[in-house]
Amino acid sequence: MVMPAPAAAGSGSPAPGNVGDVRRSNLALVLGAIAEFPPGTHPSRAQVAGATGLTKASVSSLVLDLLDAGVIREIGLNPQGRGRPGVGLELSPSRAVMGMEVNVDYISAAVVDLSGKVLRREVRERDNRNSPDKPVLAALAGLAARVRGAAGEQGVDVVGGGLAVPGLVDPARARVLTAPNLGWVNVDLDLYALLPETALGVALFNEANAAALAELRHRPDRAANFLFVSGEVGVGGGIVIGSELFTGPGGHAGEVGHIVVDPDGGHCSCGGTGCLETVAGQDAIFIAAGLAPDGSSRSAAMSALLQALEGGAPKAVSAVERAGRCLGIALASTARVVDIDSVVLGGHFAVLEPWLRAPLLDSLQKYAPGKYASEQVTVSAVGEFGALLGAAGSVIRSLVAAPHRLQA
């Protein structure tokens, strides 16, 4: 249930020092233990004490605080062998966080409960290219208010959220350093306006990193080392090493989309030339396939591309195969620098995988022979909503690490 990855900046609990710090640390310990029990099980106070090493009296006191904060609830009786059954505990279904995403051609919002279950999700197609941040965030705030209101009607209180954007970010200052496909440079976002009057506020994430976090949580093979590469209008990447998101000293590692794959290629939105994005980005593929944007929606354009591919249209097949070859070149280059076990394809790379897989594997074998077997290149386990789930999941983790923030 808890994302094994870094929490939002500045959201961790303080190091134990005085009595208050110790109690806060123990609150996190107890809530974390409850969250780690398998879904459908309801540990008793005695079982939580056994899992944490705390005394039963301490756990009982801490549980009362967590009940008052509304993050857990009592449910049923849990048999414990001999003696009277204990009262079961579980994460409260009446508390949730919101994952939000701004991408080049859509905005989205989802309410996710503390166990990671998506309660409600909405996506609105919107052309955000070169659009100022204020109208984009105003549209997202409206969408978030509607989704939050619908959850509230079901008795669910949204206590905070996470926003994922396709660019380099400074979470501590709520600043987008650069998002070339949005046209944003050093933009300070009014995150409070997205979810006003919430205890946890809103944390800011890079879209590909957020999706990588979701992949880490949901992958059936529990892979601890992988590169997640996301295909949208831009191309992003997230690196996971030892079950931790690796972002580098400045938080900007994983920019796979701007690895040069064709030195004589086209101009990229980042200001460079011949980047992977200029060949394998969504718009680049549409144009090369003869499906130049004509005002149609993102989903309609992708449907047209898939129809052309299924019909064997030469230009469409050639465009996707070239994207696959160039993606393989970029992944081969990454593999030479970062020691990771596997590659996970997300976004439109997952959708187009049947057509780009063979040229991708050919490139990997040519430029990084023996590095990856075919079974080490897989598609995303979370689909197109990975950034939403990852942003929400990281906020949930930060709450579990510091539940005292919900106390009055």
Side-chain angles (χ1 to χ4, degrees):
M1 295 179 186
V2 182
M3 302 287 287
S11 61
S13 56
N18 57 40
V19 173
D21 290 342
V22 172
R23 187 166 184 83
R24 289 176 178 181
S25 179
N26 287 339
L27 277 172
L29 185 63
V30 168
L31 182 57
I34 294 171
E36 287 294 338
F37 274 82
T41 61
H42 307 120
S44 66
R45 288 164 173 79
Q47 289 173 313
V48 173
T52 60
L54 299 174
T55 67
K56 292 181 182 178
S58 293
V59 168
S60 293
S61 175
L62 294 163
V63 162
L64 287 176
D65 283 354
L66 294 172
L67 288 169
D68 287 343
V71 291
I72 64 171
R73 70 172 181 175
E74 296 178 321
I75 179 169
L77 295 176
N78 188 353
Q80 303 174 59
R82 295 181 179 181
R84 188 173 64 182
V87 176
L89 302 169
E90 71 172 3
L91 297 174
S92 174
S94 65
R95 292 289 189 271
V97 302
M98 184 174 293
M100 295 168 283
E101 182 180 5
V102 170
N103 218 303
V104 179
D105 47 5
Y106 65 89
I107 56 175
S108 58
V111 173
V112 181
D113 72 13
L114 300 185
S115 71
K117 179 182 178 182
V118 177
L119 304 179
R120 187 178 180 91
R121 177 173 56 209
E122 290 193 24
V123 180
R124 179 190 300 169
E125 293 194 348
R126 186 182 193 279
D127 187 357
N128 298 317
R129 293 172 178 81
N130 299 312
S131 178
D133 61 289
K134 288 182 173 55
V136 175
L137 261 63
L140 180 59
L143 181 64
R146 185 166 68 249
V147 175
R148 184 181 180 184
E153 291 175 0
Q154 302 299 315
V156 177
D157 180 27
V158 173
V159 297
L163 170 65
V165 299
L168 304 181
V169 301
D170 180 348
R173 294 189 290 174
R175 174 174 291 181
V176 177
L177 301 177
T178 175
N181 289 306
L182 296 177
W184 295 359
V185 178
N186 291 326
V187 173
D188 294 316
L189 303 181
D190 182 6
L191 298 181
Y192 176 84
L194 294 175
L195 288 178
E197 300 179 357
T198 57
L200 305 183
V202 177
L204 182 62
F205 301 91
N206 166 267
E207 167 264 335
N209 283 342
L213 290 177
E215 201 67 33
L216 178 63
R217 165 67 178 83
H218 292 279
R219 285 202 65 74
D221 59 8
R222 295 298 185 190
N225 306 287
F226 61 87
L227 169 66
F228 177 85
V229 57
S230 173
E232 300 285 348
V233 171
V235 175
I239 301 171
V240 173
I241 299 176
S243 295
E244 297 285 344
L245 181 67
F246 175 75
T247 60
H252 305 152
E255 286 294 292
V256 179
H258 300 293
I259 292 176
V260 176
V261 295
D262 181 2
D264 298 318
H267 179 75
C268 182
S269 61
C270 74
T273 299
C275 298
L276 174 63
E277 188 174 296
T278 66
V279 179
Q282 198 172 94
D283 285 352
I285 293 175
F286 289 156
I287 293 170
L291 301 169
D294 57 1
S296 60
S297 68
R298 172 177 68 103
S299 56
M302 184 57 68
S303 294
L305 176 61
L306 291 173
Q307 186 176 3
L309 291 168
E310 289 165 357
K315 290 186 69 173
V317 172
S318 176
V320 173
E321 287 182 345
R322 184 177 182 229
R325 284 194 300 273
C326 291
L327 177 58
I329 293 171
L331 296 180
S333 298
T334 304
R336 297 300 194 186
V337 177
V338 183
D339 185 17
I340 49 178
D341 298 330
S342 58
V343 173
V344 180
L345 305 177
H348 67 250
F349 294 140
V351 176
L352 300 175
E353 187 264 353
W355 294 275
L356 62 73
R357 183 177 184 82
L360 165 60
L361 293 177
D362 286 346
S363 276
L364 283 174
Q365 183 58 32
K366 181 177 181 180
Y367 299 109
K371 178 61 180 175
Y372 297 117
S374 61
E375 62 270 19
Q376 292 172 295
V377 179
T378 60
V379 298
S380 171
V382 294
E384 61 181 313
F385 299 110
L388 284 178
L389 293 175
S394 191
V395 173
I396 291 170
R397 184 182 181 276
S398 74
L399 170 59
V400 172
H404 65 273
R405 291 184 294 156
L406 290 187
Q407 292 180 299

